[in-house]
Amino acid sequence: MSYDQDPYAPRSRTWPKVLLGAGVVLLLGVTWFSWKLWKVTDGDLTAARAKLTEVEATSSSTKKKLAAAEADRDKLMQTNSELGDAKTRLVAAESRLGELEAEHAEYGSRLAEFKEMSEKFKTLIDAGTLQITFRRGRAIVTLPAGVLFDSGSADLSAEGAKTVAEVTKILRGVGKRRFIVAGHTDNVPAVKEYKSNWSLSTARAVTVLEAMVHSGLSPANLSATGYAEFDPVASNGRPAGRQRNRRIELVLEPYLTPPPK
């Protein structure tokens, strides 16, 4: 301190002004920094909001894509299920087709057999002695009972024995085949000599079988059965129908061994 200065003299007012100026500067600096911070925060918030909007849009798009993918998945699963069902139906159809082809081949074989038999028996067919029919998948030689037997009898008439011999001669050339000799009657009760039409139809079948064996057909390839009136081919309500039902059928059974290819 200078000794020339009065210690009791009033202090200079410069210092408060300096402090005031510093305070103003500080206040301005804080205000500017706050404004700057607000501007930065507001910009970040705007950017964040924009980013959030973008994310929400992306999320919405993703959800839609996910829903579409799930729908596609469900459709694919349904398609796979339908494809499995279709494959199952295809296998069944192929199996059925194989069966139908086999049936068709079998039917063709039986039809060819029927035509062959018709050719062999053409003379007797034209004479009205017998008929060739195709029933229940089998060729059948039908002989009217009136051609073979007298009414109510199971004994062959002379004309009947001749007819059976002619038929047997042709059947011997057919090959290794089995024949069922089937007797049929109408629904009129049998004569007292026979207990029923079962007895009469069976007796007639056996008589024809024995005559066929006597004419040279192997007994191993023959069997006899009687149907009485229970397998009619016409109505028993009229005489013409009853006449058709009184018959002997020679039913061709399948080959004893597979036919040659």
Side-chain angles (χ1 to χ4, degrees):
M1 176 181 295
S2 173
Y3 290 101
D4 293 331
Q5 185 179 5
D6 187 358
Y8 297 101
R11 291 180 180 273
S12 174
R13 294 190 180 191
T14 303
W15 180 249
K17 291 181 178 180
V18 171
L19 289 177
L20 180 60
V24 170
V25 171
L26 180 61
L27 179 61
L28 290 173
V30 170
T31 302
W32 178 86
F33 180 77
S34 298
W35 176 83
K36 192 68 175 178
L37 182 61
W38 178 82
K39 288 294 290 183
V40 171
T41 304
D42 185 65
D44 290 343
L45 181 60
T46 301
R49 286 175 177 172
K51 189 66 176 179
L52 179 60
T53 301
E54 181 182 353
V55 169
E56 288 177 345
T58 303
S59 175
S60 177
S61 176
T62 302
K63 287 180 179 179
K64 290 180 180 179
K65 290 180 180 179
L66 179 60
E70 290 177 345
D72 290 341
R73 180 201 61 190
D74 294 340
K75 289 180 180 179
L76 180 60
M77 292 177 64
Q78 182 178 359
T79 301
N80 288 337
S81 176
E82 292 174 352
L83 181 60
D85 293 341
K87 288 181 178 179
T88 301
R89 291 194 297 270
L90 178 60
V91 171
E94 289 176 344
S95 176
R96 180 54 183 161
L97 178 60
E99 293 175 359
L100 289 174
E101 288 176 345
E103 290 175 4
H104 179 72
E106 178 68 16
Y107 180 79
S109 175
R110 296 292 175 86
L111 185 59
E113 178 183 75
F114 173 75
K115 291 179 179 179
E116 180 184 359
M117 293 292 292
S118 297
E119 287 297 321
K120 289 179 179 295
F121 287 101
K122 187 176 185 307
T123 301
L124 294 177
I125 293 173
D126 292 342
T129 303
L130 54 78
Q131 291 180 335
I132 301 293
T133 57
F134 193 70
R135 189 160 58 96
R136 296 172 183 167
R138 298 175 180 177
I140 299 174
V141 179
T142 302
L143 297 162
V147 174
L148 305 177
F149 307 98
D150 294 329
S151 179
S153 173
D155 296 326
L156 284 171
S157 63
E159 185 64 26
K162 180 182 176 181
T163 299
V164 171
E166 291 178 0
V167 170
T168 303
K169 181 179 179 181
I170 295 173
L171 293 180
R172 286 171 58 187
V174 171
K176 295 182 178 180
R177 300 301 302 273
R178 287 187 62 89
F179 300 94
I180 299 174
V181 183
H184 300 267
T185 68
D186 56 24
N187 63 347
V188 177
V191 295
K192 292 182 180 180
E193 185 180 351
Y194 298 96
K195 294 181 180 179
S196 65
N197 282 331
W198 289 108
S199 300
L200 176 59
S201 62
T202 302
R204 285 180 170 178
V206 172
T207 297
V208 173
L209 181 148
E210 291 174 344
M212 294 175 74
V213 171
H214 180 74
S215 296
L217 202 60
S218 172
N221 295 342
L222 292 168
S223 61
T225 186
Y227 287 88
E229 69 266 30
F230 300 107
D231 188 22
V233 292
S235 171
N236 281 308
R238 294 183 178 181
R242 290 194 294 273
Q243 184 178 2
R244 287 186 60 193
N245 289 332
R246 296 190 297 268
R247 68 197 188 276
I248 291 290
E249 290 184 343
L250 306 178
V251 184
L252 275 72
E253 287 290 280
Y255 284 95
L256 295 177
T257 57
K261 295 181 179 180

